Amino acid sequence: MEIGYKLAAESFGPAELVRQAVLAEEAGFDFVEISDHFHPWLDNQGHSPFAWSVLGSIAARTTRIGLATGVTCPTVRYHPAVIAQAAATLALLSDGRFVLGVGSGERLNEHVVGTGFPDAVSTRHAMLREALEIIRLLWRGGYRSYEGTYLRLEDARIFDLPEEPPLIAVAASGGASTKVAAELGDALFATEDNPDIVRQYREAGGGGPRYAEVPMAWAPDEHTAARAALETSRWAVTGWKVMSELPNPVNFEAATTTVREEDILAKFACGNDPERYEEVAQGFVDAGFDRLVMQNAGPDPDGFIDFYRRELDSRLRRLKPDGETP
């Protein structure tokens, strides 16, 4: 079991994210993960810095903690050749501590370049498959070309490559995407405690690490924590079919007007009771995930990191799937 800390890039500026990553390393987290967005989910979150610059700064300020994107879409806003080069560079700067998390993307971030975001999910998956083939091809070294249905590469070479390429964790939520993760990735990435995702990944031949984001909101009391999560993170209860389709923060504002504090409490571990955090995390462990990312939506990141160090670290590392002996 490895435990990660989610850097909330939609809620904090770049320097603050680097500071939190340093604190996370000191508190004993195994890795930090950062979303790669152009927009925040809601305007009141107020931030969305360039993830790759933040990760480079974190690599320079830390020595042990792993780094990961959670996740990058390498098909529309970025060409996969750019991501292949960026990931290779970050792997070198971090001495091999980087994991490239990728996914088929959200309209929220990808439409901004004006080339269109595919309506059909099947097209997005096909594009992701081609992107991963291009990334893998470039990481083999030498000059490479690729002619796909959606993506192309012409006579390109990455000159600075690590001895071992970064692991690739592929985001999945169903059968088609888990197949891509199993066939072209090294690991699985998910946001739901759904055992079917892990089962389908394994049935497709996937045997790598399995990352999942665990929703939580720390504050000295449950109500304060839930209200903070409701204010900035209510989009998280809408589900992936909504999250992947809406184009702008104002659309998420409209789509989440009916979300209540009770909805937050049902999904998030809120407050300061470590047993509730353990309960929510256990659901992900039972679903088959072994890389848990603490996604804190509370108002005090320093308080949460200290709470993790004092109360959660040892509890979470002891978790086993239901039925297994600790």
Side-chain angles (χ1 to χ4, degrees):
M1 178 72 67
E2 291 188 10
I3 311 295
Y5 176 76
K6 180 64 180 279
L7 294 166
E10 300 83 11
S11 296
F12 300 100
E16 171 61 15
L17 293 170
V18 174
R19 188 190 71 85
Q20 289 181 27
V22 172
L23 286 182
E25 180 174 67
E26 294 171 354
F29 283 96
D30 298 304
F31 62 95
V32 291
E33 174 217 305
I34 187 170
S35 53
D36 185 355
H37 281 198
F38 193 87
H39 290 146
W41 298 100
L42 299 170
D43 278 332
N44 66 1
Q45 290 181 290
H47 295 278
S48 198
F50 187 55
W52 294 89
S53 297
V54 176
L55 287 169
S57 294
I58 293 171
R61 291 281 305 277
T62 58
T63 59
R64 174 194 58 81
I65 200 164
L67 316 173
T69 49
V71 294
T72 289
C73 176
T75 61
V76 179
R77 183 167 44 111
Y78 304 121
H79 189 280
V82 174
I83 295 304
Q85 183 187 37
T89 298
L90 192 53
L92 290 168
L93 289 173
S94 65
D95 295 322
R97 291 183 280 144
F98 178 62
V99 173
L100 174 60
V102 298
S104 57
E106 305 104 4
R107 196 177 303 275
L108 173 72
N109 305 298
E110 305 310 314
H111 83 278
V112 299
V113 294
T115 58
F117 186 64
D119 291 326
V121 175
S122 60
T123 300
R124 300 174 200 172
H125 289 158
M127 292 176 70
L128 179 60
R129 179 178 289 275
E130 290 187 4
L132 291 173
E133 289 175 350
I134 288 171
I135 291 169
R136 295 275 190 205
L137 186 64
L138 286 167
W139 284 353
R140 287 163 53 186
Y143 287 93
R144 301 290 178 175
S145 297
Y146 180 95
E147 187 75 20
T149 302
Y150 304 99
L151 299 170
R152 292 166 177 77
L153 182 73
E154 182 179 345
D155 204 24
R157 176 185 172 187
I158 297 175
F159 278 79
D160 290 287
L161 288 170
E163 290 186 12
E164 293 291 332
L167 293 182
I168 298 178
V170 179
S173 59
S177 50
T178 53
K179 189 174 181 181
V180 175
E183 293 179 0
L184 290 169
D186 305 297
L188 177 71
F189 184 96
T191 58
E192 300 176 81
D193 56 349
N194 182 352
D196 288 340
I197 297 174
V198 174
R199 176 184 57 78
Q200 291 168 344
Y201 173 66
R202 286 172 168 160
E203 288 176 352
R210 300 165 303 280
Y211 292 80
E213 294 180 343
V214 184
M216 48 189 58
W218 185 86
D221 64 273
E222 184 180 72
H223 174 71
T224 300
R227 291 300 303 175
L230 183 65
E231 181 72 17
T232 63
S233 301
R234 58 188 181 274
W235 49 267
V237 306
T238 61
W240 184 248
K241 289 184 178 180
V242 173
M243 291 167 61
S244 64
E245 299 299 337
L246 301 182
N248 284 302
V250 65
N251 304 111
F252 281 95
E253 182 75 33
T256 56
T257 56
T258 60
V259 177
R260 306 162 302 167
E261 187 173 328
E262 304 94 277
D263 301 319
I264 295 294
L265 290 169
K267 184 178 179 69
F268 286 67
C270 293
N272 65 354
D273 182 359
E275 292 187 3
R276 173 57 178 160
Y277 286 80
E278 189 173 348
E279 176 188 9
V280 173
Q282 183 69 58
F284 287 87
V285 174
D286 290 342
F289 295 99
D290 61 0
R291 303 288 190 273
L292 303 185
V293 185
M294 306 292 100
Q295 187 174 17
N296 174 46
D300 179 4
D302 292 54
F304 170 73
I305 291 173
D306 183 61
F307 174 69
Y308 170 82
R309 180 184 57 78
R310 290 184 293 103
E311 301 284 355
L312 293 185
D313 184 84
S314 60
R315 284 174 175 264
L316 297 181
R317 293 186 189 280
R318 289 196 302 264
L319 294 180
K320 301 290 183 183
D322 188 33
E324 287 191 16
T325 303

